Amino acid sequence: MMQDTHISLAHGNGGRYMRELITELFARYLHNPNLDTQADAVTLPWASSELVITTDGFTVQPLEFNGGNIGTLAVHGTTNDLAVSGATPRYLTLNVFVEEGFEIIQLERIIASLAETAKALQVSVVAGDTKVLRRGEGGGLYLATTGVGVHTATAKLGIKQIQAGDVVLVSGSIGDHGIAVMLAREQFGLRGELASDAASVLPLTRAIWDFTGLRFMRDPTRGGLATVANEISQATQLSVHLQQAQIPVREPVQAVCEILGYDPYYLACEGRVVAVVAPEQAEQVLNVWRALPEGQDAAIIGTLKQGKARVILHTPLGGERLLDELEDDPLPRIC
Amino acid sequence: MMQDTHISLAHGNGGRYMRELITELFARYLHNPNLDTQADAVTLPWASSELVITTDGFTVQPLEFNGGNIGTLAVHGTTNDLAVSGATPRYLTLNVFVEEGFEIIQLERIIASLAETAKALQVSVVAGDTKVLRRGEGGGLYLATTGVGVHTATAKLGIKQIQAGDVVLVSGSIGDHGIAVMLAREQFGLRGELASDAASVLPLTRAIWDFTGLRFMRDPTRGGLATVANEISQATQLSVHLQQAQIPVREPVQAVCEILGYDPYYLACEGRVVAVVAPEQAEQVLNVWRALPEGQDAAIIGTLKQGKARVILHTPLGGERLLDELEDDPLPRIC
């Protein structure tokens, strides 16, 4: 085993320490037939005439929280972007930016759970790179992951496929990730049972991506549900009407939001899907989701209508509230 | 145009400021038919039964230096890893970690030259992500790029293909990048004509990758020529014998190394190729390289022999010096 307990600049210099870090930590957890830590690039079999690709950076603080850590988040976040695009994830690349002085045992814990998460999704980490940042310049640990997947969905998905009359669904409660990360920061002395919703959405997307009426899916991460709704209204120039009473928000999330003045509609989720579906198939999609463990709390939450491009939240008492595009960041470093 | 002059946390929150940053800066320079800044992932045509993939992080300091900047370096570094693997680069993904307070005009300059470099190589940036780091936590700017290429070389390349008797070549002078970055740090009051060698090696690799006697190529970046030689000796369990008199080192690089006590064999290059070739084709490969503008200073610098796995530098006076695996980092944040 490695004799060092903390990351030093020498772990990033291309020499012996870096080789030890790679073989004894990264390769130990991430090994797979395609990963060749001695190669500049790897050659992978590819059986499709298309590839689907996405990339994401991760800077969540703290690095570990109830329900996940930056490593599991990187795998879920990146593969979820493929999943909502109608693709089955196949390969990941991993960039690690780690600060001098970082505890190797924590890095190991994070990489081990990243590896486990990838394995559960049958995704291989096929290439990686590590850079060591000087003490004080690295914020601990940042990850960047690129995901490559194969197009699988039958429906032609895309924000431009959305039409007036379409129905908006969400696969589960919103804001759990945002609140779980915030509570993990221990700034407020609040504690609770609240765990991040960070998870793969692949079971949810796969279950519905052959519906001919499926128009669009997105995971509401940074900026939450309200941001996805604004993206939809801007891209389609339609009004998005959301029914507050239908949007699932867990009790403790609602409670923390009320105490601290957060708006759950802008909080990040990391394991939910927003789907837009033709009206005649919305109930069917809802039923498919509700039959899944990941989709028990799924709900039909709104509709698309002709009108000004904006997002209107209809309150239970019949009021209307505009959900504007996000300007101030309620919770930075959430993913 | 954007009204802001500096990056703020709001540029990373998923809302309006981030959308402006994406459309008015990133998409403006990086636009191409495949890039869809509204999508979670993009679908790309793929006509090969294989794909070649690599990934790299970039933390060079300073961000701009004579001969390049962190943006051009990211494109060259990543596509070079594909090129030395026998692949033609096609697509790039780009992760940006930028610190709160970073000047937008500098970010624009870097992204513009990154885009130009990619365009010159006929490579598209097809996906990206930006994270804003709190002031003091981001070291200015870090990039992570993943490259996808199509396998093109005829020769079966790999470090394991190397045999005793094979010949080692280098495509040009070594250490220029390392010294150019160091001088740009202005720590030493030294100035000179020295520019980084940062460039695409694709013309060099493409020119020789159909040679049946080509065994292996690598670009000597972090840790330089000595590190590549050590990787070869460890992977093959052969001795690498290098002839000091044959290794091209530019006069000013040599001079700075002597003043400051650096060893040029460990300094990073960002536009050179080390190739290992069957002895009967070494002269031919050399001639092909020397006919190219990028390969004018190419040289045969050593041979592989049975014996202990180590790297021996033969001095002009007949002495021998062991080039050990790197332990201390002579120049951190060089790429």
Side-chain angles (χ1 to χ4, degrees), chain A residues 16 38 40 44 51 54-55 57 95 129 137 142 218 222 327 333, chain B residues 16 38 40 44 51 54-55 57 95 129 137 142 218 222 327 333:
Chain A
R16 183 168 70 82
Q38 294 188 338
D40 287 300
L44 306 167
L51 55 89
T54 188
T55 197
N95 282 278
D129 188 47
E137 287 181 350
Y142 306 136
R218 176 154 289 170
R222 267 185 292 187
E327 297 215 346
R333 294 194 67 178
Chain B
R16 184 167 70 80
Q38 293 188 339
D40 287 300
L44 306 167
L51 56 90
T54 187
T55 197
N95 282 279
D129 188 46
E137 287 180 349
Y142 306 135
R218 175 155 291 169
R222 266 185 292 186
E327 297 216 346
R333 294 196 65 179

PDB file of all heavy atoms in Angstrom, chain A residues 16 38 40 44 51 54-55 57 95 129 137 142 218 222 327 333, chain B residues 16 38 40 44 51 54-55 57 95 129 137 142 218 222 327 333:
ATOM      1  N   ARG A  16       7.303   8.720  -9.947  1.00  0.00           N
ATOM      2  CA  ARG A  16       7.039   7.514  -9.180  1.00  0.00           C
ATOM      3  C   ARG A  16       5.824   7.651  -8.262  1.00  0.00           C
ATOM      4  O   ARG A  16       4.981   6.747  -8.191  1.00  0.00           O
ATOM      5  CB  ARG A  16       8.281   7.167  -8.341  1.00  0.00           C
ATOM      6  CG  ARG A  16       8.125   5.879  -7.546  1.00  0.00           C
ATOM      7  CD  ARG A  16       9.444   5.394  -6.972  1.00  0.00           C
ATOM      8  NE  ARG A  16       9.933   6.257  -5.908  1.00  0.00           N
ATOM      9  CZ  ARG A  16       9.524   6.185  -4.628  1.00  0.00           C
ATOM     10  NH1 ARG A  16       8.605   5.302  -4.275  1.00  0.00           N
ATOM     11  NH2 ARG A  16      10.021   6.995  -3.721  1.00  0.00           N
ATOM     12  N   GLN A  38      -1.311   2.779 -18.578  1.00  0.00           N
ATOM     13  CA  GLN A  38      -0.028   3.070 -19.231  1.00  0.00           C
ATOM     14  C   GLN A  38      -0.210   3.723 -20.598  1.00  0.00           C
ATOM     15  O   GLN A  38       0.768   4.087 -21.238  1.00  0.00           O
ATOM     16  CB  GLN A  38       0.778   1.781 -19.396  1.00  0.00           C
ATOM     17  CG  GLN A  38       1.200   1.195 -18.068  1.00  0.00           C
ATOM     18  CD  GLN A  38       2.152   0.042 -18.237  1.00  0.00           C
ATOM     19  OE1 GLN A  38       2.201  -0.573 -19.293  1.00  0.00           O
ATOM     20  NE2 GLN A  38       2.914  -0.238 -17.201  1.00  0.00           N
ATOM     21  N   ASP A  40      -1.763   6.525 -23.470  1.00  0.00           N
ATOM     22  CA  ASP A  40      -2.218   7.908 -23.597  1.00  0.00           C
ATOM     23  C   ASP A  40      -3.703   7.977 -23.913  1.00  0.00           C
ATOM     24  O   ASP A  40      -4.372   8.953 -23.600  1.00  0.00           O
ATOM     25  CB  ASP A  40      -1.446   8.604 -24.722  1.00  0.00           C
ATOM     26  CG  ASP A  40      -0.022   8.897 -24.318  1.00  0.00           C
ATOM     27  OD1 ASP A  40       0.170   9.628 -23.339  1.00  0.00           O
ATOM     28  OD2 ASP A  40       0.896   8.379 -24.969  1.00  0.00           O
ATOM     29  N   LEU A  44     -11.698   1.573 -27.896  1.00  0.00           N
ATOM     30  CA  LEU A  44     -12.878   0.887 -27.377  1.00  0.00           C
ATOM     31  C   LEU A  44     -13.734   0.382 -28.520  1.00  0.00           C
ATOM     32  O   LEU A  44     -13.855   1.048 -29.544  1.00  0.00           O
ATOM     33  CB  LEU A  44     -13.719   1.876 -26.557  1.00  0.00           C
ATOM     34  CG  LEU A  44     -12.985   2.608 -25.442  1.00  0.00           C
ATOM     35  CD1 LEU A  44     -13.818   3.763 -24.929  1.00  0.00           C
ATOM     36  CD2 LEU A  44     -12.651   1.648 -24.325  1.00  0.00           C
ATOM     37  N   LEU A  51     -22.853   8.254 -31.468  1.00  0.00           N
ATOM     38  CA  LEU A  51     -22.504   8.233 -30.051  1.00  0.00           C
ATOM     39  C   LEU A  51     -23.107   9.462 -29.402  1.00  0.00           C
ATOM     40  O   LEU A  51     -23.266  10.506 -30.033  1.00  0.00           O
ATOM     41  CB  LEU A  51     -21.008   8.095 -29.814  1.00  0.00           C
ATOM     42  CG  LEU A  51     -19.997   9.037 -30.414  1.00  0.00           C
ATOM     43  CD1 LEU A  51     -19.783  10.214 -29.470  1.00  0.00           C
ATOM     44  CD2 LEU A  51     -18.676   8.304 -30.602  1.00  0.00           C
ATOM     45  N   THR A  54     -21.577  13.703 -23.248  1.00  0.00           N
ATOM     46  CA  THR A  54     -21.891  14.782 -22.326  1.00  0.00           C
ATOM     47  C   THR A  54     -20.722  14.975 -21.382  1.00  0.00           C
ATOM     48  O   THR A  54     -19.893  14.084 -21.225  1.00  0.00           O
ATOM     49  CB  THR A  54     -23.170  14.472 -21.524  1.00  0.00           C
ATOM     50  OG1 THR A  54     -23.533  15.629 -20.766  1.00  0.00           O
ATOM     51  CG2 THR A  54     -22.968  13.325 -20.557  1.00  0.00           C
ATOM     52  N   THR A  55     -20.647  16.134 -20.743  1.00  0.00           N
ATOM     53  CA  THR A  55     -19.557  16.363 -19.783  1.00  0.00           C
ATOM     54  C   THR A  55     -20.034  17.242 -18.649  1.00  0.00           C
ATOM     55  O   THR A  55     -20.958  18.058 -18.822  1.00  0.00           O
ATOM     56  CB  THR A  55     -18.325  16.961 -20.496  1.00  0.00           C
ATOM     57  OG1 THR A  55     -17.191  16.795 -19.643  1.00  0.00           O
ATOM     58  CG2 THR A  55     -18.498  18.440 -20.822  1.00  0.00           C
ATOM     59  N   GLY A  57     -18.711  19.087 -14.642  1.00  0.00           N
ATOM     60  CA  GLY A  57     -17.745  19.329 -13.577  1.00  0.00           C
ATOM     61  C   GLY A  57     -18.442  19.261 -12.229  1.00  0.00           C
ATOM     62  O   GLY A  57     -19.626  19.584 -12.125  1.00  0.00           O
ATOM     63  N   ASN A  95     -11.500  13.192 -14.669  1.00  0.00           N
ATOM     64  CA  ASN A  95     -10.428  14.116 -14.311  1.00  0.00           C
ATOM     65  C   ASN A  95     -10.528  14.433 -12.833  1.00  0.00           C
ATOM     66  O   ASN A  95     -11.606  14.781 -12.341  1.00  0.00           O
ATOM     67  CB  ASN A  95     -10.552  15.433 -15.082  1.00  0.00           C
ATOM     68  CG  ASN A  95     -10.055  15.282 -16.493  1.00  0.00           C
ATOM     69  OD1 ASN A  95      -8.862  15.359 -16.735  1.00  0.00           O
ATOM     70  ND2 ASN A  95     -10.973  15.027 -17.411  1.00  0.00           N
ATOM     71  N   ASP A 129      -7.207  11.311 -15.559  1.00  0.00           N
ATOM     72  CA  ASP A 129      -6.041  12.170 -15.393  1.00  0.00           C
ATOM     73  C   ASP A 129      -6.152  12.829 -14.026  1.00  0.00           C
ATOM     74  O   ASP A 129      -7.245  13.149 -13.573  1.00  0.00           O
ATOM     75  CB  ASP A 129      -5.984  13.231 -16.496  1.00  0.00           C
ATOM     76  CG  ASP A 129      -4.687  14.015 -16.460  1.00  0.00           C
ATOM     77  OD1 ASP A 129      -3.616  13.398 -16.353  1.00  0.00           O
ATOM     78  OD2 ASP A 129      -4.736  15.253 -16.538  1.00  0.00           O
ATOM     79  N   GLU A 137      -5.171  26.309  -3.314  1.00  0.00           N
ATOM     80  CA  GLU A 137      -5.652  26.663  -4.652  1.00  0.00           C
ATOM     81  C   GLU A 137      -6.676  25.680  -5.194  1.00  0.00           C
ATOM     82  O   GLU A 137      -7.109  25.819  -6.329  1.00  0.00           O
ATOM     83  CB  GLU A 137      -4.480  26.725  -5.649  1.00  0.00           C
ATOM     84  CG  GLU A 137      -3.599  27.943  -5.466  1.00  0.00           C
ATOM     85  CD  GLU A 137      -2.455  27.989  -6.471  1.00  0.00           C
ATOM     86  OE1 GLU A 137      -2.227  26.994  -7.176  1.00  0.00           O
ATOM     87  OE2 GLU A 137      -1.796  29.041  -6.531  1.00  0.00           O
ATOM     88  N   TYR A 142     -11.940  18.639  -6.967  1.00  0.00           N
ATOM     89  CA  TYR A 142     -12.909  18.848  -8.039  1.00  0.00           C
ATOM     90  C   TYR A 142     -12.827  17.650  -8.974  1.00  0.00           C
ATOM     91  O   TYR A 142     -11.747  17.113  -9.213  1.00  0.00           O
ATOM     92  CB  TYR A 142     -12.591  20.108  -8.867  1.00  0.00           C
ATOM     93  CG  TYR A 142     -12.443  21.379  -8.070  1.00  0.00           C
ATOM     94  CD1 TYR A 142     -11.404  22.253  -8.338  1.00  0.00           C
ATOM     95  CD2 TYR A 142     -13.348  21.709  -7.078  1.00  0.00           C
ATOM     96  CE1 TYR A 142     -11.255  23.438  -7.620  1.00  0.00           C
ATOM     97  CE2 TYR A 142     -13.204  22.885  -6.353  1.00  0.00           C
ATOM     98  CZ  TYR A 142     -12.165  23.743  -6.625  1.00  0.00           C
ATOM     99  OH  TYR A 142     -12.025  24.903  -5.918  1.00  0.00           O
ATOM    100  N   ARG A 218     -35.401  15.993 -18.802  1.00  0.00           N
ATOM    101  CA  ARG A 218     -34.220  16.664 -18.255  1.00  0.00           C
ATOM    102  C   ARG A 218     -34.165  16.394 -16.752  1.00  0.00           C
ATOM    103  O   ARG A 218     -35.201  16.309 -16.091  1.00  0.00           O
ATOM    104  CB  ARG A 218     -34.261  18.180 -18.512  1.00  0.00           C
ATOM    105  CG  ARG A 218     -33.088  18.957 -17.884  1.00  0.00           C
ATOM    106  CD  ARG A 218     -32.778  20.249 -18.610  1.00  0.00           C
ATOM    107  NE  ARG A 218     -32.182  19.979 -19.917  1.00  0.00           N
ATOM    108  CZ  ARG A 218     -31.980  20.913 -20.872  1.00  0.00           C
ATOM    109  NH1 ARG A 218     -32.337  22.158 -20.647  1.00  0.00           N
ATOM    110  NH2 ARG A 218     -31.430  20.585 -22.020  1.00  0.00           N
ATOM    111  N   ARG A 222     -28.663  21.951 -11.245  1.00  0.00           N
ATOM    112  CA  ARG A 222     -28.435  23.360 -10.872  1.00  0.00           C
ATOM    113  C   ARG A 222     -29.628  24.215 -11.256  1.00  0.00           C
ATOM    114  O   ARG A 222     -30.031  24.241 -12.409  1.00  0.00           O
ATOM    115  CB  ARG A 222     -27.228  23.913 -11.643  1.00  0.00           C
ATOM    116  CG  ARG A 222     -25.942  23.788 -10.896  1.00  0.00           C
ATOM    117  CD  ARG A 222     -24.828  24.453 -11.654  1.00  0.00           C
ATOM    118  NE  ARG A 222     -24.492  23.745 -12.895  1.00  0.00           N
ATOM    119  CZ  ARG A 222     -23.459  24.066 -13.669  1.00  0.00           C
ATOM    120  NH1 ARG A 222     -22.683  25.073 -13.354  1.00  0.00           N
ATOM    121  NH2 ARG A 222     -23.199  23.377 -14.764  1.00  0.00           N
ATOM    122  N   GLU A 327     -31.456  34.339 -10.805  1.00  0.00           N
ATOM    123  CA  GLU A 327     -30.365  35.315 -10.898  1.00  0.00           C
ATOM    124  C   GLU A 327     -29.373  35.108  -9.766  1.00  0.00           C
ATOM    125  O   GLU A 327     -28.212  34.852 -10.005  1.00  0.00           O
ATOM    126  CB  GLU A 327     -30.920  36.744 -10.892  1.00  0.00           C
ATOM    127  CG  GLU A 327     -31.797  36.978 -12.105  1.00  0.00           C
ATOM    128  CD  GLU A 327     -31.690  38.382 -12.648  1.00  0.00           C
ATOM    129  OE1 GLU A 327     -31.149  39.258 -11.966  1.00  0.00           O
ATOM    130  OE2 GLU A 327     -32.166  38.601 -13.781  1.00  0.00           O
ATOM    131  N   ARG A 333     -22.034  25.696  -5.203  1.00  0.00           N
ATOM    132  CA  ARG A 333     -21.295  24.426  -5.006  1.00  0.00           C
ATOM    133  C   ARG A 333     -22.204  23.309  -4.524  1.00  0.00           C
ATOM    134  O   ARG A 333     -21.908  22.592  -3.562  1.00  0.00           O
ATOM    135  CB  ARG A 333     -20.101  24.625  -4.072  1.00  0.00           C
ATOM    136  CG  ARG A 333     -19.059  25.529  -4.698  1.00  0.00           C
ATOM    137  CD  ARG A 333     -17.750  25.480  -3.994  1.00  0.00           C
ATOM    138  NE  ARG A 333     -17.116  24.158  -4.142  1.00  0.00           N
ATOM    139  CZ  ARG A 333     -15.924  23.869  -3.632  1.00  0.00           C
ATOM    140  NH1 ARG A 333     -15.250  24.759  -2.973  1.00  0.00           N
ATOM    141  NH2 ARG A 333     -15.403  22.679  -3.810  1.00  0.00           N
TER     142      ARG A 333
ATOM    143  N   ARG B  16     -29.814  32.945 -15.436  1.00  0.00           N
ATOM    144  CA  ARG B  16     -29.674  33.880 -16.540  1.00  0.00           C
ATOM    145  C   ARG B  16     -28.225  34.260 -16.825  1.00  0.00           C
ATOM    146  O   ARG B  16     -27.793  34.293 -17.974  1.00  0.00           O
ATOM    147  CB  ARG B  16     -30.483  35.153 -16.233  1.00  0.00           C
ATOM    148  CG  ARG B  16     -30.474  36.168 -17.369  1.00  0.00           C
ATOM    149  CD  ARG B  16     -31.509  37.245 -17.160  1.00  0.00           C
ATOM    150  NE  ARG B  16     -31.184  38.141 -16.071  1.00  0.00           N
ATOM    151  CZ  ARG B  16     -30.316  39.177 -16.160  1.00  0.00           C
ATOM    152  NH1 ARG B  16     -29.708  39.412 -17.307  1.00  0.00           N
ATOM    153  NH2 ARG B  16     -30.081  39.944 -15.138  1.00  0.00           N
ATOM    154  N   GLN B  38     -28.242  23.868 -25.384  1.00  0.00           N
ATOM    155  CA  GLN B  38     -29.497  23.641 -24.660  1.00  0.00           C
ATOM    156  C   GLN B  38     -29.710  22.174 -24.301  1.00  0.00           C
ATOM    157  O   GLN B  38     -30.674  21.835 -23.638  1.00  0.00           O
ATOM    158  CB  GLN B  38     -30.682  24.112 -25.505  1.00  0.00           C
ATOM    159  CG  GLN B  38     -30.680  25.626 -25.683  1.00  0.00           C
ATOM    160  CD  GLN B  38     -31.950  26.100 -26.345  1.00  0.00           C
ATOM    161  OE1 GLN B  38     -32.637  25.325 -27.001  1.00  0.00           O
ATOM    162  NE2 GLN B  38     -32.263  27.367 -26.174  1.00  0.00           N
ATOM    163  N   ASP B  40     -28.668  18.291 -22.765  1.00  0.00           N
ATOM    164  CA  ASP B  40     -27.868  17.653 -21.726  1.00  0.00           C
ATOM    165  C   ASP B  40     -26.732  16.851 -22.332  1.00  0.00           C
ATOM    166  O   ASP B  40     -25.701  16.652 -21.703  1.00  0.00           O
ATOM    167  CB  ASP B  40     -28.747  16.709 -20.901  1.00  0.00           C
ATOM    168  CG  ASP B  40     -29.680  17.481 -19.993  1.00  0.00           C
ATOM    169  OD1 ASP B  40     -29.179  18.231 -19.158  1.00  0.00           O
ATOM    170  OD2 ASP B  40     -30.903  17.339 -20.146  1.00  0.00           O
ATOM    171  N   LEU B  44     -23.855  12.280 -31.914  1.00  0.00           N
ATOM    172  CA  LEU B  44     -22.879  12.519 -32.973  1.00  0.00           C
ATOM    173  C   LEU B  44     -22.827  11.332 -33.920  1.00  0.00           C
ATOM    174  O   LEU B  44     -22.940  10.191 -33.480  1.00  0.00           O
ATOM    175  CB  LEU B  44     -21.491  12.695 -32.348  1.00  0.00           C
ATOM    176  CG  LEU B  44     -21.384  13.765 -31.260  1.00  0.00           C
ATOM    177  CD1 LEU B  44     -20.081  13.615 -30.515  1.00  0.00           C
ATOM    178  CD2 LEU B  44     -21.518  15.144 -31.864  1.00  0.00           C
ATOM    179  N   LEU B  51     -13.732   3.409 -31.038  1.00  0.00           N
ATOM    180  CA  LEU B  51     -13.428   4.803 -30.745  1.00  0.00           C
ATOM    181  C   LEU B  51     -12.227   4.854 -29.813  1.00  0.00           C
ATOM    182  O   LEU B  51     -12.001   3.955 -29.023  1.00  0.00           O
ATOM    183  CB  LEU B  51     -14.631   5.578 -30.211  1.00  0.00           C
ATOM    184  CG  LEU B  51     -15.394   5.131 -28.996  1.00  0.00           C
ATOM    185  CD1 LEU B  51     -14.785   5.751 -27.750  1.00  0.00           C
ATOM    186  CD2 LEU B  51     -16.842   5.602 -29.105  1.00  0.00           C
ATOM    187  N   THR B  54      -9.475   9.759 -24.656  1.00  0.00           N
ATOM    188  CA  THR B  54      -8.451  10.189 -23.704  1.00  0.00           C
ATOM    189  C   THR B  54      -8.977  11.383 -22.935  1.00  0.00           C
ATOM    190  O   THR B  54      -9.913  12.054 -23.388  1.00  0.00           O
ATOM    191  CB  THR B  54      -7.143  10.564 -24.436  1.00  0.00           C
ATOM    192  OG1 THR B  54      -6.122  10.807 -23.457  1.00  0.00           O
ATOM    193  CG2 THR B  54      -7.294  11.812 -25.286  1.00  0.00           C
ATOM    194  N   THR B  55      -8.371  11.677 -21.784  1.00  0.00           N
ATOM    195  CA  THR B  55      -8.794  12.838 -21.019  1.00  0.00           C
ATOM    196  C   THR B  55      -7.613  13.462 -20.294  1.00  0.00           C
ATOM    197  O   THR B  55      -6.643  12.784 -19.974  1.00  0.00           O
ATOM    198  CB  THR B  55      -9.930  12.472 -20.043  1.00  0.00           C
ATOM    199  OG1 THR B  55     -10.575  13.666 -19.621  1.00  0.00           O
ATOM    200  CG2 THR B  55      -9.418  11.730 -18.818  1.00  0.00           C
ATOM    201  N   GLY B  57      -6.432  17.021 -17.634  1.00  0.00           N
ATOM    202  CA  GLY B  57      -6.700  18.235 -16.887  1.00  0.00           C
ATOM    203  C   GLY B  57      -5.571  19.230 -17.085  1.00  0.00           C
ATOM    204  O   GLY B  57      -4.424  18.832 -17.299  1.00  0.00           O
ATOM    205  N   ASN B  95     -14.490  21.062 -19.898  1.00  0.00           N
ATOM    206  CA  ASN B  95     -14.924  21.508 -18.574  1.00  0.00           C
ATOM    207  C   ASN B  95     -14.113  22.713 -18.159  1.00  0.00           C
ATOM    208  O   ASN B  95     -12.886  22.684 -18.238  1.00  0.00           O
ATOM    209  CB  ASN B  95     -14.694  20.408 -17.533  1.00  0.00           C
ATOM    210  CG  ASN B  95     -15.755  19.352 -17.603  1.00  0.00           C
ATOM    211  OD1 ASN B  95     -16.843  19.525 -17.060  1.00  0.00           O
ATOM    212  ND2 ASN B  95     -15.468  18.269 -18.306  1.00  0.00           N
ATOM    213  N   ASP B 129     -19.106  22.240 -19.875  1.00  0.00           N
ATOM    214  CA  ASP B 129     -19.727  22.556 -18.596  1.00  0.00           C
ATOM    215  C   ASP B 129     -18.837  23.571 -17.889  1.00  0.00           C
ATOM    216  O   ASP B 129     -17.616  23.533 -18.023  1.00  0.00           O
ATOM    217  CB  ASP B 129     -19.867  21.295 -17.736  1.00  0.00           C
ATOM    218  CG  ASP B 129     -20.677  21.553 -16.473  1.00  0.00           C
ATOM    219  OD1 ASP B 129     -21.743  22.190 -16.568  1.00  0.00           O
ATOM    220  OD2 ASP B 129     -20.246  21.132 -15.390  1.00  0.00           O
ATOM    221  N   GLU B 137     -10.527  29.841  -4.134  1.00  0.00           N
ATOM    222  CA  GLU B 137     -10.570  28.380  -4.169  1.00  0.00           C
ATOM    223  C   GLU B 137     -10.289  27.808  -5.543  1.00  0.00           C
ATOM    224  O   GLU B 137     -10.333  26.610  -5.737  1.00  0.00           O
ATOM    225  CB  GLU B 137     -11.956  27.870  -3.724  1.00  0.00           C
ATOM    226  CG  GLU B 137     -12.189  28.007  -2.250  1.00  0.00           C
ATOM    227  CD  GLU B 137     -13.561  27.495  -1.834  1.00  0.00           C
ATOM    228  OE1 GLU B 137     -14.399  27.235  -2.704  1.00  0.00           O
ATOM    229  OE2 GLU B 137     -13.768  27.363  -0.624  1.00  0.00           O
ATOM    230  N   TYR B 142      -9.014  26.355 -14.309  1.00  0.00           N
ATOM    231  CA  TYR B 142      -8.588  25.003 -14.654  1.00  0.00           C
ATOM    232  C   TYR B 142      -9.468  24.517 -15.799  1.00  0.00           C
ATOM    233  O   TYR B 142     -10.657  24.829 -15.851  1.00  0.00           O
ATOM    234  CB  TYR B 142      -8.768  24.024 -13.482  1.00  0.00           C
ATOM    235  CG  TYR B 142      -8.123  24.444 -12.187  1.00  0.00           C
ATOM    236  CD1 TYR B 142      -8.818  24.339 -10.989  1.00  0.00           C
ATOM    237  CD2 TYR B 142      -6.821  24.920 -12.157  1.00  0.00           C
ATOM    238  CE1 TYR B 142      -8.230  24.719  -9.781  1.00  0.00           C
ATOM    239  CE2 TYR B 142      -6.225  25.300 -10.957  1.00  0.00           C
ATOM    240  CZ  TYR B 142      -6.934  25.198  -9.779  1.00  0.00           C
ATOM    241  OH  TYR B 142      -6.364  25.573  -8.595  1.00  0.00           O
ATOM    242  N   ARG B 218       4.793   8.417 -27.927  1.00  0.00           N
ATOM    243  CA  ARG B 218       4.250   9.134 -26.763  1.00  0.00           C
ATOM    244  C   ARG B 218       4.753  10.569 -26.813  1.00  0.00           C
ATOM    245  O   ARG B 218       5.874  10.832 -27.241  1.00  0.00           O
ATOM    246  CB  ARG B 218       4.667   8.464 -25.448  1.00  0.00           C
ATOM    247  CG  ARG B 218       4.241   9.226 -24.187  1.00  0.00           C
ATOM    248  CD  ARG B 218       4.108   8.341 -22.978  1.00  0.00           C
ATOM    249  NE  ARG B 218       2.981   7.427 -23.101  1.00  0.00           N
ATOM    250  CZ  ARG B 218       2.730   6.403 -22.293  1.00  0.00           C
ATOM    251  NH1 ARG B 218       3.536   6.160 -21.291  1.00  0.00           N
ATOM    252  NH2 ARG B 218       1.683   5.620 -22.501  1.00  0.00           N
ATOM    253  N   ARG B 222       4.342  15.896 -18.901  1.00  0.00           N
ATOM    254  CA  ARG B 222       4.801  15.924 -17.499  1.00  0.00           C
ATOM    255  C   ARG B 222       5.942  14.936 -17.269  1.00  0.00           C
ATOM    256  O   ARG B 222       5.809  13.757 -17.540  1.00  0.00           O
ATOM    257  CB  ARG B 222       3.651  15.479 -16.580  1.00  0.00           C
ATOM    258  CG  ARG B 222       2.840  16.610 -16.047  1.00  0.00           C
ATOM    259  CD  ARG B 222       1.797  16.124 -15.066  1.00  0.00           C
ATOM    260  NE  ARG B 222       0.752  15.315 -15.704  1.00  0.00           N
ATOM    261  CZ  ARG B 222      -0.334  14.882 -15.059  1.00  0.00           C
ATOM    262  NH1 ARG B 222      -0.502  15.158 -13.782  1.00  0.00           N
ATOM    263  NH2 ARG B 222      -1.251  14.166 -15.689  1.00  0.00           N
ATOM    264  N   GLU B 327      11.107  11.952  -8.850  1.00  0.00           N
ATOM    265  CA  GLU B 327      10.479  11.969  -7.518  1.00  0.00           C
ATOM    266  C   GLU B 327      10.043  13.386  -7.156  1.00  0.00           C
ATOM    267  O   GLU B 327       8.885  13.641  -6.925  1.00  0.00           O
ATOM    268  CB  GLU B 327      11.431  11.403  -6.473  1.00  0.00           C
ATOM    269  CG  GLU B 327      11.758   9.945  -6.758  1.00  0.00           C
ATOM    270  CD  GLU B 327      11.909   9.117  -5.508  1.00  0.00           C
ATOM    271  OE1 GLU B 327      12.032   9.678  -4.415  1.00  0.00           O
ATOM    272  OE2 GLU B 327      11.903   7.878  -5.649  1.00  0.00           O
ATOM    273  N   ARG B 333       2.606  22.590 -12.038  1.00  0.00           N
ATOM    274  CA  ARG B 333       1.629  23.361 -12.840  1.00  0.00           C
ATOM    275  C   ARG B 333       2.203  23.789 -14.187  1.00  0.00           C
ATOM    276  O   ARG B 333       2.123  24.940 -14.580  1.00  0.00           O
ATOM    277  CB  ARG B 333       1.080  24.555 -12.057  1.00  0.00           C
ATOM    278  CG  ARG B 333       0.262  24.093 -10.866  1.00  0.00           C
ATOM    279  CD  ARG B 333      -0.593  25.191 -10.297  1.00  0.00           C
ATOM    280  NE  ARG B 333      -1.626  25.655 -11.216  1.00  0.00           N
ATOM    281  CZ  ARG B 333      -2.509  26.591 -10.921  1.00  0.00           C
ATOM    282  NH1 ARG B 333      -2.485  27.155  -9.741  1.00  0.00           N
ATOM    283  NH2 ARG B 333      -3.400  26.964 -11.793  1.00  0.00           N
TER     284      ARG B 333
END
